[in-house]
Amino acid sequence: MKKLSYLIVTILFFASLLPPISFAQTKNEPDVELWNAVKPLDTTVSFLNTGAHPDDERSDLLAYLSRGLGVKTASLIANRGEGGQNAIGNELGNALGIIRSNEMIEAAKVNGVKAYHLSETTSDPIYDFGFSKSPDETLEKWGEELTYERLIKFIRIYQPDIVMPSFLNVDSQHGHHRAITVLSQKAFEDAADPEVFPEHFKEGLHPWQIKKLYLPASSADSATTSIEIGDYDPIYGMSYPQLGEASRYLHKSQGMGNDIPVAPRQAHLDLVKSAVQSSSKEIFAGIPYDFHEWAQIIPANNVQKRLNALQDKLEEMISLYPKREAILPKSQNALKEVKKIISLIKSSTLNSSVKNDLIHKLEVKAEQLQELSFISSNLSVEIGIDSYVLTQGEKTKVQVTVSNKGKTKIQHIKTALITPKDWRHEKPSELKHLKPGESKTVTYNVTVPKKAEYFHPYDEAVLQAQISFKENGVETSKSLDLNNTVSVLPDLSVTATPANITVNTADVQDKIPVNVKVKNYAKEKKSAKVSLNLPDGWASQPAVANVSLTERFEEKDVAFTLIPPSNVDEGSFTIETIAVAEGKIYNATVQEIKYEHIKDSYFLYPAAINGVAFELLKPDHLKIGYIESGFDTIADSLINAGFDITKLTSDDLATSDLSQYDTIVTGIRVTLAREDFLQHNERLLEYVENGGHLVVQYMTSGDPWNSVLTPPYPLTIGSPSIRWRVTDENAEVTMTQPEHPLFNFPNKITSNDWDNWVQERGLYFPMAWDDRYETFVSMADPNEEPFTSGILMANYGKGTYLYTSLVFYRQIDAQVPGGYRIFTNLLSFGAYNN
């Protein structure tokens, strides 16, 4: 069972905001669940916030619009944040994108916002390829036509009245942000143009005219309108900006969220495009705010009367809060009326665009009334399953328990399971009715198809429960997710460690140890033969290993020794890892992604070891101490390459003899993850003063770093960070001291070593440093002034202190030979200097 250890503000918030579907809270507490359902009846307006990455949403404004006003709000995010850094673990790439996508979903729930992405799958073309300074570069890599088509299609599906990108298209912004702003502005006209992506209309969509497009403004002076959003809301027990920060706390992999007081705050918006006429500068001016205002623009008298009467009913339900039993029949009656009005509108002679718009608003209101009806019924639902992990062909049981926690008898209750169409299970079951205090349980026997699709992190849930009941001749239906992710996984997962192998052609290893972990996800015993599909000339001991696993989630390690040929060719190679059980081949790694603030997820990828062979010289007897931050895997990669590395613990930093190490090196952002680094920083500086060599990898300007006290001499990290990075991985690099030992010992570094880098050159370059630091490299993005602070080194006492903002961790993870060779030289200076 997952532990619940959120920050205090998040605990308190979720305790009220996201209770299980159950009866109302005590009289002394606001019924937050009911309020979340009843407040949206107040308006028909919809709002879309667009951004590039998870965490780009304007959380405070969205909280005000959704929770404060009841506006239907959504965040549309382009990619999954795969190219970022990870503040809670060492997942990078697609695995990090999965984490950030799920954090986005959970964060959006706090604000009452629906989260969407343009990226549809792992390694999607709309991928976070790292920092970009240009919208043109961004759209070239994403594919502008693909990205724009998906954006237009989403707008035609969601049909927002107002669209607001989170950022401006200015050169101080991330290129991804700028690209989404450019496309959002362009979409204002194009989403309404029937000649733009007309294939959408074959899918039942219609052209959609956004009513207003706003951009964020920096102050009231540059804004069309300013909205006070800092109000305290007694329902939630916090202000809307505090709600926004509660949601941002869930972006834990990015270290988001701040504790803030209740205080006035204004959101400044600049109206840049409008399709409506209004003399008022209010944000919703010219847009029908509710059905009363819709009635004013509809010429048909009978429709006007019905819309006015409907809005009166909706407002009456808001006034009845928190009386669930009183709201229930009203919601049923209003739902019946909405359906009648929809039929009336469909058969009317209204203008087609007005008809489409109004029908959409009514359909949204029907969804909201369904939600309100279910919550006000006081039905509580618990869904249990034998195992959240399933395998192909498995039989399992799902139990759905429905309880009436209210004071009113609920009639005609039915339960059903929603699964992919080829899954087998019983037909929907009717519970008939539930008296107050009564509970009933339905058990479904479910069979997973033998060829069921394996879990994909961005697919819809494979299993949901559907609950319906009927009152006053109107049926209410609600689909519910389980508490955790139901996942179909391979019977066996095969994971090789190390994932990357480096073969040094200057001194080919006689033996390379490899560990293969086999994990059983089937509920029955599995016996398998495990082997490695080796390149020509390679051998392994043993050639085949037998493994037996008796129960689900059991795992065993199998040790192999790789024996490479003595004359390995330089270049890349792959070693496939295979398990064979009952004649079936299993060659996928299941990476488990489990954190307490998000639902469990999995990333399946080919089970293989990626190898690269190149010449890598290193000093004999070089001894390195590595202070891991948890944000990179450099230490393991260097160990696999034959380096003598000791991972230094807190006790080591506090008491061990540091002088035994030629070099001590830190993982990236070590001050953020290792408080003990700062606690023992003086001891590390003493190590340098006595003749040691300390290599510190980059920090950010927001990390716990004192520019005067942490390094031996003042060193200030660049801020704002967008100005202090080289994002072009192919940017020309000049070695300003080519004869220095850093570029000649033990490897002769040439221009070739800067080839084939991935994602970027460096980031968070220092912007100021003491004159006692030497500089060694110069590099720049196109049309920018070069940075010279990528490698800084200073003598301190008898030793040396080296700070680097180059992204060696990405190069070593991607097995870029030059990255290995240059970093080896930086580490080896400790041996050279001694």
Side-chain angles (χ1 to χ4, degrees):
M1 178 177 287
K2 292 187 172 186
K3 298 177 182 178
L4 300 177
S5 59
Y6 299 96
L7 294 169
I8 296 295
V9 64
T10 310
I11 300 175
L12 294 175
F13 184 79
F14 278 124
S16 63
L17 181 61
L18 299 173
I21 292 178
S22 61
F23 55 92
Q25 296 162 333
T26 64
K27 292 182 179 179
N28 295 326
E29 297 177 344
D31 189 343
V32 178
E33 183 185 34
L34 181 63
W35 183 251
N36 288 343
V38 77
K39 182 58 180 175
L41 303 185
D42 205 25
T43 179
T44 59
V45 176
S46 57
F47 186 97
L48 175 64
N49 183 202
T50 60
H53 319 93
D55 92 332
D56 281 354
E57 71 274 18
R58 292 286 175 140
S59 305
D60 53 356
L61 175 60
L62 296 182
Y64 169 77
L65 293 172
S66 176
R67 298 305 192 193
L69 301 182
V71 170
K72 181 187 177 187
T73 59
S75 288
L76 177 62
I77 301 302
N79 60 47
R80 307 281 176 165
E82 304 96 335
Q85 301 158 63
N86 188 350
I88 58 175
N90 57 20
E91 296 93 346
L92 293 174
N94 282 313
L96 176 59
I98 293 167
I99 292 172
R100 291 191 172 183
S101 296
N102 283 292
E103 288 177 336
M104 182 79 213
I105 291 169
E106 298 303 322
K109 291 177 183 177
V110 176
N111 284 350
V113 177
K114 186 75 172 177
Y116 300 93
H117 291 85
L118 291 180
S119 169
E120 296 176 350
T121 186
T122 50
S123 300
D124 192 273
I126 306 175
Y127 192 86
D128 182 2
F129 56 84
F131 196 90
S132 172
K133 297 178 181 176
S134 163
D136 295 334
E137 179 201 32
T138 299
L139 294 175
E140 180 182 357
K141 290 191 174 184
W142 286 354
E144 182 171 356
E145 183 80 0
L146 171 72
T147 307
Y148 195 46
E149 185 274 330
R150 290 186 186 176
L151 173 62
I152 295 294
K153 185 173 183 179
F154 178 84
I155 289 172
R156 288 169 173 170
I157 292 172
Y158 188 75
Q159 300 183 32
D161 293 312
I162 298 173
V163 172
M164 188 196 80
S166 285
F167 302 98
L168 299 176
N169 178 26
V170 293
D171 62 6
S172 60
Q173 272 299 336
H174 195 316
H176 297 181
H177 297 162
R178 297 174 66 186
I180 290 302
T181 299
V182 168
L183 295 187
S184 296
Q185 290 184 267
K186 185 180 175 185
F188 184 85
E189 288 85 12
D190 286 350
D193 188 341
E195 295 185 2
V196 175
F197 303 119
E199 63 271 22
H200 293 168
F201 311 135
K202 296 178 182 178
E203 303 174 38
L205 301 180
H206 302 277
W208 177 255
Q209 180 59 68
I210 301 164
K211 307 305 184 292
K212 291 184 177 183
L213 189 138
Y214 285 95
L215 290 177
S218 58
S219 67
D221 293 339
S222 59
T224 304
T225 185
S226 296
I227 308 169
E228 177 55 53
I229 63 173
D231 297 337
Y232 176 85
D233 192 320
I235 296 291
Y236 304 104
M238 60 182 76
S239 69
Y240 300 116
Q242 286 176 325
L243 275 173
E245 290 303 319
S247 78
R248 298 195 75 75
Y249 267 118
L250 289 165
H251 292 290
K252 291 181 181 292
S253 67
Q254 302 184 71
M256 293 289 166
N258 294 290
D259 294 330
I260 59 173
V262 176
R265 179 183 294 189
Q266 288 198 325
H268 304 294
L269 306 178
D270 181 24
L271 180 64
V272 293
K273 294 189 179 186
S274 178
V276 297
Q277 299 295 322
S278 176
S279 58
S280 171
K281 293 183 178 180
E282 294 296 320
I283 182 173
F284 303 122
I287 303 171
Y289 190 76
D290 57 19
F291 288 121
H292 284 320
E293 295 190 8
W294 272 103
Q296 295 174 18
I297 64 173
I298 299 297
N301 189 49
N302 59 336
V303 176
Q304 289 178 3
K305 291 180 179 179
R306 284 181 175 270
L307 290 176
N308 279 317
L310 173 61
Q311 189 62 44
D312 289 341
K313 292 178 180 179
L314 299 177
E315 291 172 1
E316 180 187 9
M317 281 180 275
I318 298 173
S319 70
L320 287 172
Y321 170 86
K323 301 173 183 177
R324 291 192 177 204
E325 286 79 7
I327 290 173
L328 177 59
K330 302 287 186 181
S331 66
Q332 295 284 335
N333 183 270
L335 183 57
K336 183 188 297 185
E337 180 62 16
V338 167
K339 292 179 179 179
K340 290 180 179 178
I341 299 174
I342 290 174
S343 296
L344 182 64
I345 299 297
K346 286 182 177 179
S347 61
S348 72
T349 58
L350 290 172
N351 173 276
S352 61
S353 63
V354 174
K355 179 187 291 191
N356 172 60
D357 198 342
L358 182 53
I359 288 174
H360 175 70
K361 300 299 183 185
L362 288 163
E363 288 174 342
V364 169
K365 204 57 61 181
E367 293 173 4
Q368 294 171 348
L369 286 167
Q370 287 268 358
E371 178 73 10
L372 176 60
S373 177
F374 188 84
I375 290 171
S376 60
S377 73
N378 284 310
L379 289 179
S380 170
V381 183
E382 294 181 5
I383 312 167
I385 189 169
D386 288 349
S387 173
Y388 285 107
V389 168
L390 303 171
T391 55
Q392 292 175 333
E394 181 175 342
K395 298 180 185 297
T396 190
K397 286 184 179 355
V398 177
Q399 289 187 322
V400 181
T401 300
V402 186
S403 304
N404 184 351
K405 301 292 186 178
K407 302 174 182 178
T408 304
K409 182 178 180 180
I410 304 299
Q411 307 278 2
H412 307 295
I413 302 172
K414 293 181 181 180
T415 66
L417 289 186
I418 303 173
T419 67
K421 61 182 180 180
D422 52 348
W423 288 42
R424 295 203 311 273
H425 55 83
E426 287 86 353
K427 294 180 179 180
S429 177
E430 185 171 354
L431 302 182
K432 294 186 178 180
H433 63 264
L434 282 176
K435 299 175 183 177
E438 187 178 11
S439 297
K440 291 182 181 179
T441 298
V442 177
T443 300
Y444 291 93
N445 296 295
V446 179
T447 301
V448 182
K450 291 183 179 180
K451 294 185 179 181
E453 294 286 335
Y454 288 138
F455 175 81
H456 189 284
Y458 303 147
D459 284 349
E460 296 292 328
V462 296
L463 197 153
Q464 291 180 305
Q466 185 178 69
I467 314 299
S468 64
F469 65 92
K470 186 178 290 187
E471 294 286 340
N472 303 313
V474 177
E475 185 174 77
T476 295
S477 181
K478 173 76 172 179
S479 296
L480 300 167
D481 289 326
L482 281 73
N483 289 333
N484 209 343
T485 309
V486 178
S487 307
V488 179
L489 300 178
D491 289 359
L492 299 176
S493 168
V494 187
T495 307
T497 305
N500 298 327
I501 287 177
T502 300
V503 177
N504 186 357
T505 58
D507 183 18
V508 176
Q509 303 97 308
D510 294 330
K511 299 178 180 180
I512 302 174
V514 167
N515 182 76
V516 177
K517 185 185 297 296
V518 183
K519 185 164 187 176
N520 183 25
Y521 288 108
K523 65 180 180 181
E524 66 273 0
K525 177 180 178 180
K526 285 288 179 181
S527 295
K529 294 184 180 296
V530 184
S531 62
L532 305 173
N533 189 0
L534 300 168
D536 291 341
W538 287 64
S540 71
Q541 294 178 346
V544 179
N546 295 313
V547 63
S548 181
L549 303 164
T550 59
E551 59 185 2
R552 173 171 274 156
F553 303 130
E554 184 181 2
E555 55 187 21
K556 288 186 178 178
D557 292 329
V558 180
F560 288 89
T561 300
L562 296 180
I563 305 170
S566 58
N567 57 343
V568 177
D569 293 332
E570 289 197 357
S572 301
F573 58 90
T574 300
I575 298 173
E576 185 182 13
T577 309
I578 298 169
V580 179
E582 299 169 355
K584 187 172 181 179
I585 295 175
Y586 297 93
N587 56 1
T589 294
V590 178
Q591 183 175 4
E592 297 183 357
I593 299 173
K594 296 187 177 185
Y595 289 94
E596 59 192 18
H597 64 298
I598 56 177
K599 287 186 176 182
D600 292 349
S601 193
Y602 304 88
F603 178 44
L604 279 64
Y605 58 90
I609 300 169
N610 299 309
V612 62
F614 58 92
E615 182 182 75
L616 180 64
L617 302 178
K618 58 183 187 295
D620 294 335
H621 313 301
L622 176 67
K623 191 170 184 180
I624 299 171
Y626 200 101
I627 307 173
E628 285 193 299
S629 62
F631 302 146
D632 65 71
T633 57
I634 286 180
D636 290 334
S637 296
L638 294 180
I639 290 170
N640 296 333
F643 285 78
D644 179 3
I645 289 183
T646 299
K647 297 180 181 181
L648 300 180
T649 66
S650 296
D651 289 342
D652 291 332
L653 291 184
T655 62
S656 71
D657 178 13
L658 299 181
S659 66
Q660 64 183 295
Y661 303 107
D662 298 295
T663 299
I664 294 176
V665 60
T666 73
I668 63 172
R669 304 186 69 183
V670 70
T671 61
L672 183 65
R674 295 282 297 263
E675 291 182 4
D676 55 310
F677 173 85
L678 292 172
Q679 292 167 0
H680 303 298
N681 187 61
E682 288 296 327
R683 195 160 185 264
L684 288 166
L685 293 179
E686 182 181 346
Y687 156 79
V688 176
E689 194 171 18
N690 292 334
H693 178 57
L694 180 62
V695 176
V696 176
Q697 296 189 78
Y698 75 82
M699 314 290 172
T700 77
S701 59
D703 291 343
W705 169 271
N706 186 304
S707 61
V708 175
L709 300 179
T710 308
Y713 310 118
L715 191 160
T716 304
I717 299 165
S719 179
S721 63
I722 187 172
R723 302 290 190 189
W724 298 92
R725 57 207 308 161
V726 176
T727 63
D728 183 355
E729 62 270 30
N730 299 312
E732 183 177 350
V733 178
T734 299
M735 293 179 284
T736 56
Q737 299 190 55
E739 301 307 317
H740 193 279
L742 282 181
F743 300 123
N744 292 276
F745 177 81
N747 299 282
K748 175 66 177 177
I749 303 303
T750 70
S751 59
N752 293 336
D753 290 297
W754 301 99
D755 291 343
N756 302 314
W757 278 44
V758 299
Q759 190 152 324
E760 56 211 346
R761 290 291 192 192
L763 61 174
Y764 312 113
F765 282 77
M767 63 182 183
W769 55 92
D770 190 278
D771 290 341
R772 283 166 284 194
Y773 290 102
E774 290 185 83
T775 63
F776 297 90
V777 291
S778 175
M779 61 188 71
D781 277 326
N783 303 315
E784 294 188 3
E785 292 298 314
F787 296 119
T788 59
S789 55
I791 299 173
L792 297 174
M793 189 168 69
N795 294 319
Y796 182 66
K798 299 178 182 179
T800 44
Y801 182 97
L802 188 151
Y803 182 93
T804 180
S805 53
L806 303 186
V807 287
F808 288 109
Y809 81 105
R810 292 201 187 276
Q811 312 318 313
I812 289 175
D813 184 64
Q815 298 186 288
V816 177
Y820 267 98
R821 286 161 50 82
I822 298 167
F823 197 66
T824 294
N825 280 23
L826 302 190
L827 302 185
S828 300
F829 193 75
Y832 178 88
N833 214 27
N834 292 325

